[in-house]
Structures are given as C-alpha cells and as structure tokens.
Amino acid sequence: RPRPHPRPSAPRPGAVAAMTPQTELLSMAEIAEATERYEDMADFMKQRVELGGALTKVERDMFSSAFKNSMGSYRNAARIAKSIAMSSTEQEHADLATDYKAKMEASLREICENALGLLERNLIPNCGGDPEAKVFYLKMQGDYYRYLAENLEGEARADKAEKAKRAYSDGFGDAQASMSPVHPTYLGLVLNFTVFLHEVIKDTESAVSMATSTLNGDLSGLDSMSEDARNESLVSLNLLKENLSLWAGGN
C-alpha cells in the first residue's frame, strides 16, 4: 500500500481555513488514493499541475504515485497476458490473450502519454532553480518512455528507448552536479537508469559500471540524513547491490 503523505499543519481552533483550488485538488487526490482509485487520483493531480505554479515536494510525490499506481495494473496485466499467449498450447486461447494484451497496452500507453505531456509541457520547463525537482521530473520522464519502449518493437521501440536514455542521462548529469550521491532522488534515478540499460537496451556493461561506481562512492552522507530519507536511500542501494550481483554474475 502507498505510504501516507505528510499533511500541512491544522489551523488553530476556531480558525476558518478556506480551501484554495490547489488544496482542494490535493485533498481530492488524497481521498482517491485512500480509496485506491488511482486513475481518479492521477486526474486530480493532472488538474493541479495544469493550474500552474511549482509543485511542493508532497505534490511531486503524489503526482508520481498517482501515475505509477494507475499504470501499474495495466503494465502487470500486459506482462501476464503476454506470458499466457506465449505458453498456451491452444491457438484460439493464445489469440484471445494477445488481444487482451493489446487492450492493456493501449490503456498503459494513454497513461504514459498523459504523464509525459504534463512533464514536458508543464513541469520540466517550469521547475526554475530547484535542481531536486528537475532531477525528479527527468527521472519520471525516463521511466515513462521506458514503460512505452517495453511494449514496442523495431523503430518505435528504439525511438522511445532513445528518449528514455536522454532523459535519464540529463537527470544523472544534473544530479551529479547538484546533489549528494546518497540523496534518495539521486539513488532512485541511478537504480532506474541501470535497470533501463540492462533490460531495455541490453547494455549490461554500462549498467554494471554505473551501479559499481555508485556503490563504491562516498556514502558517508547517509549518517547525517533524516531517518525517512536514509531508509529510502538504503532501499535503492540494496536493490542496486542485488541487481549488480545478478548482472555481474551473468557476465
């Protein structure tokens, strides 16, 4: 289940707190998340983005969570349907599974394109002088092009993979220039970038190199982080270690 997002302080007793359009949409998104209506949550966050203005960290996390969760079920369904189609011994059953996979992929594609449109039109160009926000959005951009590439073939796959690689590379360059190497956003980007390199473009050598240099880098900053941030960073570091063990062993 998604982790609860921190809420702003409650008003003093007797005070009347009028909701702004932004806070109303955020509240509706939180209600949709609590009821596990993630596509509604994504729509509320889309409306929040289109109101303009920079998103707060809480809003960024909710924007990411909304689209990731609304897309996740379709992504898993497409993978399972593909497996059924490939393993079925009855052609008619395999054809039905293939048709269902195509429907799931169409829904997945729509969600990815909606997220990418908001990132490219609204969020990345307008994050101002906030390097953490820019890295966060570039990571998301890379992720959603990766999700699109996973379900394509030929030139279409190569096009989305190239866009994913460019977004991840730009984000990684900005992260190296402006962030601690143990920052949760930095490590989350490295984790997803290496998965992309290994799984989508089959460049395991580069994935291993990036994971190794990250794990062998200066991790002393972990000691001075808040508990939540440190735990988030440790999750990414442990996943990097697990992946590196699998990939290096495969080589």
Side-chain angles (χ1 to χ4, degrees):
R1 295 178 65 85
R3 292 176 299 170
H5 303 284
R7 296 297 306 275
S9 302
R12 291 177 291 102
V16 177
M19 277 195 170
T20 65
Q22 289 92 335
T23 56
E24 181 176 343
L25 286 167
L26 187 62
S27 292
M28 290 302 301
E30 289 174 331
I31 293 167
E33 181 179 36
T35 58
E36 299 185 8
R37 294 282 298 175
Y38 297 116
E39 290 181 66
D40 290 343
M41 182 186 180
D43 185 58
F44 291 129
M45 293 311 299
K46 175 178 183 288
Q47 292 178 60
R48 165 62 191 95
V49 169
E50 290 173 340
L51 283 177
L55 300 189
T56 65
K57 185 180 186 306
V58 169
E59 289 173 327
R60 287 202 305 269
D61 289 342
M62 291 190 69
F63 174 76
S64 175
S65 177
F67 280 92
K68 182 177 181 180
N69 283 297
S70 62
M71 176 222 45
S73 61
Y74 294 111
R75 189 174 178 225
N76 290 336
R79 287 176 168 176
I80 293 169
K82 179 180 180 179
S83 176
I84 292 171
M86 293 177 65
S87 62
S88 178
T89 57
E90 298 181 14
Q91 188 59 46
E92 185 175 359
H93 189 66
D95 290 344
L96 289 171
T98 299
D99 289 344
Y100 190 72
K101 170 179 169 287
K103 291 179 181 179
M104 296 300 100
E105 288 175 347
S107 296
L108 169 64
R109 185 163 54 250
E110 181 179 1
I111 293 169
C112 289
E113 289 172 351
N114 282 337
L116 287 165
L118 293 167
L119 287 163
E120 293 170 358
R121 288 192 309 269
N122 303 83
L123 295 172
I124 295 173
N126 298 313
C127 57
D130 185 346
E132 181 181 345
K134 187 176 181 183
V135 172
F136 184 95
Y137 295 140
L138 287 169
K139 172 189 170 294
M140 275 193 73
Q141 186 184 32
D143 289 342
Y144 283 87
Y145 277 121
R146 170 163 63 96
Y147 301 146
L148 288 174
E150 288 174 345
N151 294 296
L152 294 170
E153 303 292 340
E155 291 185 8
R157 178 185 176 92
D159 175 66
K160 301 304 183 190
E162 179 58 33
K163 289 178 178 178
K165 185 176 182 180
R166 187 180 310 128
Y168 283 135
S169 297
D170 288 349
F172 185 59
D174 285 355
Q176 286 184 304
S178 62
M179 300 175 75
S180 161
V182 293
H183 192 287
T185 301
Y186 181 108
L187 291 173
L189 184 147
V190 170
L191 176 63
N192 289 15
F193 194 0
T194 55
V195 169
F196 163 78
L197 291 169
H198 171 70
E199 292 187 353
V200 177
I201 63 174
K202 311 303 181 186
D203 186 3
T204 301
E205 182 178 353
S206 293
V208 167
S209 175
M210 180 177 288
T212 301
S213 63
T214 299
L215 292 169
N216 290 342
D218 182 8
L219 305 181
S220 61
L222 288 167
D223 296 334
S224 59
M225 297 169 67
S226 70
E227 183 178 359
D228 286 346
R230 180 168 60 251
N231 288 342
E232 189 175 347
S233 293
L234 288 173
V235 168
S236 293
L237 287 168
N238 287 333
L239 289 171
L240 273 174
K241 288 178 184 177
E242 292 176 12
N243 289 344
L244 182 59
S245 177
L246 291 170
W247 300 338
N251 284 340

